[in-house]
């Protein structure tokens, strides 16, 4: 049997909002001087290496499709060039 009325319980007080921390960096920065220098060079020349590799592979495959600009920009420039040729011809 119950001995008496239940005491009213207070809700749990939140001290801080429950926001997860940001994810940690995936790449840990080097600390040795030689490693810092090589990391800088790798970052600087990484894009050039990728571009040269793409050129090499595409030339071996047999088609080179390195276009500057988007499809619409290329079509627009071709249309302007065609219009200039027609204007000079008349």
């Amino acid at each position: 049997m119950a001995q008496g009325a239940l005491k009213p319980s207070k809700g749990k007080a939140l001290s801080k909002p429950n926001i997860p921390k940001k994810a940690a960096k995936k790449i840990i920065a080097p600390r040795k001087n030689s490693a810092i220098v090589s990391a800088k060079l790798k970052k600087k020349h990484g894009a050039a290496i990728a571009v040269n590799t793409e050129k090499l592979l595409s030339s071996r495959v047999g088609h080179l499709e390195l276009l500057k600009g988007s499809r619409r920009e290329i079509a627009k420039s071709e249309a302007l060039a065609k219009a200039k040729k027609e204007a000079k011809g008349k």
Side-chain angles (χ1 to χ4, degrees), residues 26-61:
K26 303 296 182 207
I27 300 172
I28 299 170
R31 292 199 176 121
K32 289 185 179 179
N33 212 7
S34 60
I36 291 171
V37 171
S38 65
K40 284 182 183 178
L41 286 174
K42 186 177 178 183
K43 185 174 182 180
K44 183 178 179 182
H45 297 296
I49 291 170
V51 169
N52 289 336
T53 305
E54 289 292 326
K55 282 184 182 179
L56 177 69
L57 292 174
S58 61
S59 66
R60 287 187 179 177
V61 169

Side-chain angles (χ1 to χ4, degrees), residues 6-83:
L6 291 175
K7 293 182 182 179
S9 63
K10 294 180 182 177
K12 186 177 180 182
L14 295 176
S15 59
K16 291 183 181 178
N18 200 4
I19 300 172
K21 292 184 179 180
K22 286 186 178 179
K25 285 186 177 181
K26 303 296 182 207
I27 300 172
I28 299 170
R31 292 199 176 121
K32 289 185 179 179
N33 212 7
S34 60
I36 291 171
V37 171
S38 65
K40 284 182 183 178
L41 286 174
K42 186 177 178 183
K43 185 174 182 180
K44 183 178 179 182
H45 297 296
I49 291 170
V51 169
N52 289 336
T53 305
E54 289 292 326
K55 282 184 182 179
L56 177 69
L57 292 174
S58 61
S59 66
R60 287 187 179 177
V61 169
H63 59 280
L64 185 63
E65 296 182 14
L66 297 174
L67 304 175
K68 291 187 178 180
S70 66
R71 178 178 53 86
R72 289 182 181 155
E73 291 172 353
I74 293 169
K76 186 177 181 182
S77 64
E78 288 176 357
L80 288 173
K82 190 176 181 181

